[in-house]
Amino acid sequence: MDSLRNKKNPWVLYETEVPHSRFCDPACGVSPAEKLSPEHLQLLRNAFTCPKAGEHIHENRPDRRRGRNRGENEERAMKLEEFREVLRSVIGPDIEDTWAERFFNEVDISCSGQVKWQQLCSYLLLEYTERERASIPRAALLDSQPQIRHCSHNKRETTVRVVAVSHPPPLRYISVSKGGQITVWNSSLHIVKSLGLAGDPTEEVANTRRFRGWTTDAVCMGNVNKVAIATDCRDLHFVNVSMGNVFEDVHLFGFRSVPTALCYWHDVQCPERPSLLLLGDEKGGVHLMWFLNPSKGLFKKPSKRENGPQRIFFPDLSEHSNLVSYRHIPNIHQEPINRVMFEPDSNIIMTSSESDTTSVVFMNVTLRQEPYVWKFKQGAKCFDYNASLQLMVTGGCDRAVRLWTRFVTTRPVATLLGHRTTVLDVAIYQPVGQIFSYSRDAELRVWDISSHHCLKTVCLQFPCQQPGRIPEHGNFPFLLLSPPRPDQAHLVVGCKDYLALLSLAETRRGGGGCLTDYGREPGPKIQSGTALCCALYNSTLRQVVTGHADSSVSLWDVETGRRRLHILNAHGEDELTCMTLDSSHRRLITGARNGTIKVWNLLNGLNLHKLEPVTDSEVTGLTCLHDNQLLAVGWSQRLAQYDVAAAKDLYVRADMSWKSSGVHKSDILAVSQCSALGVIATASHGGEVIIWRLETQGPVLHLQRPTQRGAAPPVDSLLFLQHRAGNRKLRNRGVLISSQAGCLCFWSITGQTHTYGQFYAPEQPGERVLSLSSDQPKNTILVSGDTAGWLQIWDICHFALDIQHEPVCERPPLLQSWKAHQRALVSVEVLEVADRLFVLTASADGSAGLWTKDGDHVGCFGQEVMWNITETATYQRKTQKKLTEERTESEDWGLSKVKSQVPEPPNRGQTSQEDFCSEASSIRPPEIDHKQPQQPMCLFEDSCQTGASCHERRHLRDDIHLSSNC
């Protein structure tokens, strides 16, 4: 922590992350920020600052004294009833009670039962700031850093152009180097094959017939499956790319000038129409080649077969007049043409050059209309035009990106500044209304067309870059693939002999809005969405909160399964790892893989606080104490405390007063608290469990399960049995449960004997238990979820209550067991709704489900058909029945159907349990010193996997089957 504060800004992780977006249920009504006008705010301020009518007599004297001291009336607090009446007097009598109560609760986030003017101002300021931020669109770039590939066949020469060939499928990229090397790539930018341009066949020695010039540009001719390549030898090479064997087909040589830019157009709707190839040359002229019947060929086939490509001398092109028509328009520019485009709807040829007097020229093919000429200093090095937007974008040596309208040549609409070197390429990405620009120092910028703001700046890290040197580029660094192409939108950027592939969003990504279809998601599929990392139940709001690996958070109504709130990119693009609620259950605290922690208002999705990261490593556990003091643990191996209750600023500093430095020798994976005993428990990857006293903020007890050999498996979960801890007769018994390699260990933390029982819980050997829960008011049942997707409910009324000199390996009675999900259960929780017990499950398969304690499936959150939790007829019982039947047919475990009091599984499960218990019982638990935690033991073994790393544990959500590694 100290090193993070000393070496860099601890808030930089928040400043550089992708902003979050929130989507609210429209059924909640209009937001107070939208309904309140400035006049309303002034009236509300007067109501808060003016004393009540009945208070004038009793408080006249003190108020007068305060008025002389402060010069103003003291702010007073309002309770819900008074606040509701004030709103009706200010806004109107038609204000609904539910809306006013929700407004009051959103302001009274600490649940004090009253609100003040200062609280209301803070709430509104945060809401208005959020809405202003949400109005700014996000950059279309989906990758912070792209995939980068090396063009090894370029022989260290620059890539001049990259083209995309989508027909015939699949999608391929073709890069052309300056030295004439052609490389074919698949859609993932892996090299498929390579080919060199043919040299001059008149050379005497065949081995020296290699291309000796420089390429200037290339273009894909999609309707004839060819790529045309221009060179400084004043020729064109037509390369056939239709077959698996790429080869050069035609060599057209002998132009009067060097072609410097190419453009090709064909009518996709009418393939029989002539296609057009445009060539801009070094003398500022344009060559037009109309291919009259491209389906029959571009040129007349030779009478006799030639070795190598067909060679056509340009002055002899008239011999192919049946298939091609040629025209030349000279002297359009005073400098070489560097870009050429064609607009078929208006038959406009668009060209650019670095000339001050003819920077960009739009002219009709017929030359019957006066051309449009744009003139600006140093000209244009690149440009792009979009016909539907009637927008042109230019870039050049003056480092400015300019936006122009179609018919105004004297003045740009906007000038976008920010690049520090020459702008090499620009591209308009219409689906999201943004512009990409790229400069010589490998800096890529994303601009919003409507606001002219720079949305994102990415400095591409190409391996060829050297400190203090500008990398070499080709003339055409960009290739933009956008819808309606069948593949996902991409942007390919070339730098010397490297290519970068960036994924693009295909729709405009705004900053929030309303949930569509009133919060319902299509399809009652169990496997849906991104992997879940955690889930919890809010008993106060009667809502379920789910956290996803893609850093999104959703709030669901537990009584119907309806989604009330959805937050995207809660921690930018970093994976969300853990969640907890504050003491009032109005705030949600989330932790992420990059060490960031945030506090959210559960009523409206506002981000209230951003907590100082201890390190930039993963936060694995959060727990909130009774006074809203938050404790965070993770890979930092330390305990960080945050005062959430007293925090008034957006950024909250960490309190590192806990004596945790060097106590844990490995990453902390779990944390649990027990207010009745005044302690918390933390567990690490090394298998150690440490008990900490809240009063002293120091360790008091070290617990570790003995094993015979090997490394200790990590502790996956911790659970305090709060009812036992609060009972004087039971608090010395097994009150803490730890899950380690599938074994559930019951610990006493106050008595002389600390091991009170243990048993192997999963249905199959080699699995792990990632989550535990119990009915905390009574602690009669224990719910465990394993990595195979199985959920077990155990009767622990009488388990781990008697002192045992040897560890107890007998299982408690198994009440229920069923396969709840297809993959690992990352969260299970027992909750009480309408005087009935239910079980909440969240899985790595991306689904969260609700079950009765008897095994009936209520439904999955996000399914199309909502349920009514009080009406069992709306439950999806068939899903549970089907899972039970599949289990009966495929596995002979002795559990034919979900029923009460199921016997212990025989054979495989029992064998693993017996093996485990025989090892554990052979070693007496060591005597524990209550003053100082003991050092971890060195000899360990378990019946399951023993070397699972934190990285493996993180990805259990994706696909967890560890038995093969045991």
Side-chain angles (χ1 to χ4, degrees), residues 750-771:
T750 57
Q752 295 297 321
T753 303
H754 298 292
T755 305
Y756 263 72
Q758 52 190 339
F759 66 94
Y760 184 77
E763 290 287 332
Q764 303 174 14
E767 301 295 343
R768 295 159 64 185
V769 174
L770 300 182
S771 184

Side-chain angles (χ1 to χ4, degrees), residues 498-545:
Y498 285 88
L499 296 180
L501 178 66
L502 298 102
S503 300
L504 304 178
E506 298 185 16
T507 56
R508 188 177 179 89
R509 300 194 299 167
C514 293
L515 290 170
T516 58
D517 199 21
Y518 297 96
R520 291 184 296 175
E521 298 299 315
K525 299 178 181 179
I526 292 181
Q527 297 190 32
S528 60
T530 312
L532 285 164
C533 59
C534 45
L536 51 84
Y537 175 62
N538 188 330
S539 57
T540 302
L541 300 180
R542 300 169 76 89
Q543 292 179 342
V544 168
V545 186

Side-chain angles (χ1 to χ4, degrees), residues 220-255:
C220 178
M221 307 171 69
N223 63 329
V224 292
N225 301 318
K226 286 179 173 56
V227 172
I229 302 173
T231 78
D232 64 354
C233 300
R234 298 183 299 169
D235 58 4
L236 278 177
H237 298 259
F238 295 87
V239 180
N240 192 310
V241 294
S242 61
M243 309 296 291
N245 186 21
V246 178
F247 60 95
E248 186 176 343
D249 195 15
V250 179
H251 182 200
L252 179 61
F253 64 98
F255 283 89

Side-chain angles (χ1 to χ4, degrees), residues 591-701:
R593 184 195 290 185
N594 64 346
T596 56
I597 305 172
K598 294 186 179 181
V599 183
W600 307 85
N601 187 332
L602 282 173
L603 296 175
N604 51 29
L606 289 176
N607 182 202
L608 301 176
H609 305 292
K610 298 178 180 180
L611 310 186
E612 181 182 14
V614 175
T615 63
D616 56 359
S617 58
E618 182 172 333
V619 179
T620 56
L622 298 167
T623 184
C624 205
L625 308 180
H626 65 281
D627 55 352
N628 265 343
Q629 295 292 319
L630 177 70
L631 287 180
V633 299
W635 290 10
S636 66
Q637 304 178 14
R638 301 180 66 181
L639 276 69
Q641 182 171 317
Y642 303 89
D643 190 353
V644 178
K648 295 182 179 180
D649 298 329
L650 177 63
Y651 295 104
V652 180
R653 285 279 186 177
D655 178 6
M656 303 304 296
S657 59
W658 281 75
K659 307 173 184 67
S660 59
S661 180
V663 177
H664 274 288
K665 302 301 187 295
S666 56
D667 300 335
I668 303 176
L669 302 183
V671 62
S672 182
Q673 66 155 313
C674 180
S675 57
L677 298 178
V679 297
I680 67 166
T682 58
S684 70
H685 182 261
E688 55 188 348
V689 178
I690 295 179
I691 308 299
W692 309 74
R693 191 172 298 283
L694 293 173
E695 184 179 0
T696 62
Q697 295 187 342
V700 295
L701 187 62

Side-chain angles (χ1 to χ4, degrees), residues 311-481:
R311 288 174 53 82
I312 302 175
F313 188 41
F314 179 74
D316 298 335
L317 195 61
S318 57
E319 299 178 4
H320 303 261
S321 57
N322 292 334
L323 294 176
V324 62
S325 173
Y326 172 78
R327 182 184 174 191
H328 178 224
I329 305 176
N331 302 324
I332 301 175
H333 296 266
Q334 284 73 45
E335 298 287 342
I337 292 177
N338 50 38
R339 294 289 190 279
V340 58
M341 295 181 65
F342 180 67
E343 171 52 45
D345 294 335
S346 53
N347 279 335
I348 296 295
I349 299 174
M350 299 164 279
T351 57
S352 66
S353 71
E354 297 184 54
S355 170
D356 294 348
T357 56
T358 53
S359 303
V360 180
V361 177
F362 282 21
M363 63 178 180
N364 194 280
V365 173
T366 61
L367 300 181
R368 296 175 182 173
Q369 301 176 1
E370 191 71 19
Y372 285 86
V373 181
W374 283 263
K375 305 175 183 180
F376 45 90
K377 191 175 180 180
Q378 295 182 310
K381 196 169 187 65
C382 55
F383 83 95
D384 193 17
Y385 176 75
N386 185 277
S388 59
L389 299 177
Q390 295 285 294
L391 177 69
M392 180 180 68
V393 181
T394 62
C397 297
D398 61 354
R399 300 170 293 178
V401 177
R402 292 181 175 87
L403 278 62
W404 309 80
T405 58
R406 168 68 176 82
F407 300 103
V408 179
T409 62
T410 56
R411 189 171 178 182
V413 175
T415 301
L416 311 180
L417 302 177
H419 282 291
R420 293 164 293 183
T421 55
T422 300
V423 178
L424 298 179
D425 216 342
V426 292
I428 300 173
Y429 188 43
Q430 183 185 350
V432 297
Q434 294 175 12
I435 297 169
F436 301 120
S437 62
Y438 181 74
S439 57
R440 194 180 294 277
D441 56 354
E443 183 182 82
L444 175 66
R445 287 181 175 258
V446 185
W447 310 84
D448 181 54
I449 292 177
S450 58
S451 65
H452 306 155
H453 288 156
C454 181
L455 304 179
K456 193 170 187 177
T457 301
V458 180
C459 295
L460 301 180
Q461 304 297 323
F462 291 102
C464 58
Q465 292 177 262
Q466 298 180 8
R469 294 189 177 183
I470 300 296
E472 185 180 356
H473 291 84
N475 295 328
F476 309 91
F478 271 176
L479 169 64
L480 177 62
L481 275 73

Side-chain angles (χ1 to χ4, degrees), residues 791-811:
L791 182 141
Q792 298 89 17
I793 302 180
W794 310 89
D795 181 359
I796 59 169
C797 289
H798 307 289
F799 189 79
L801 295 179
D802 298 327
I803 298 176
Q804 300 289 335
H805 296 289
E806 299 292 340
V808 177
C809 293
E810 295 181 0
R811 281 184 168 189

Side-chain angles (χ1 to χ4, degrees), residues 144-185:
S144 56
Q145 278 298 328
Q147 303 178 45
I148 295 181
R149 298 286 188 267
H150 182 221
C151 306
S152 56
H153 298 282
N154 278 22
K155 301 176 182 178
R156 298 185 179 180
E157 292 175 347
T158 305
T159 298
V160 172
R161 171 79 89 166
V162 181
V163 299
V165 180
S166 57
H167 184 79
L171 173 69
R172 292 160 292 160
Y173 298 105
I174 296 180
S175 63
V176 180
S177 75
K178 188 176 181 181
Q181 197 67 28
I182 303 168
T183 305
V184 182
W185 312 73

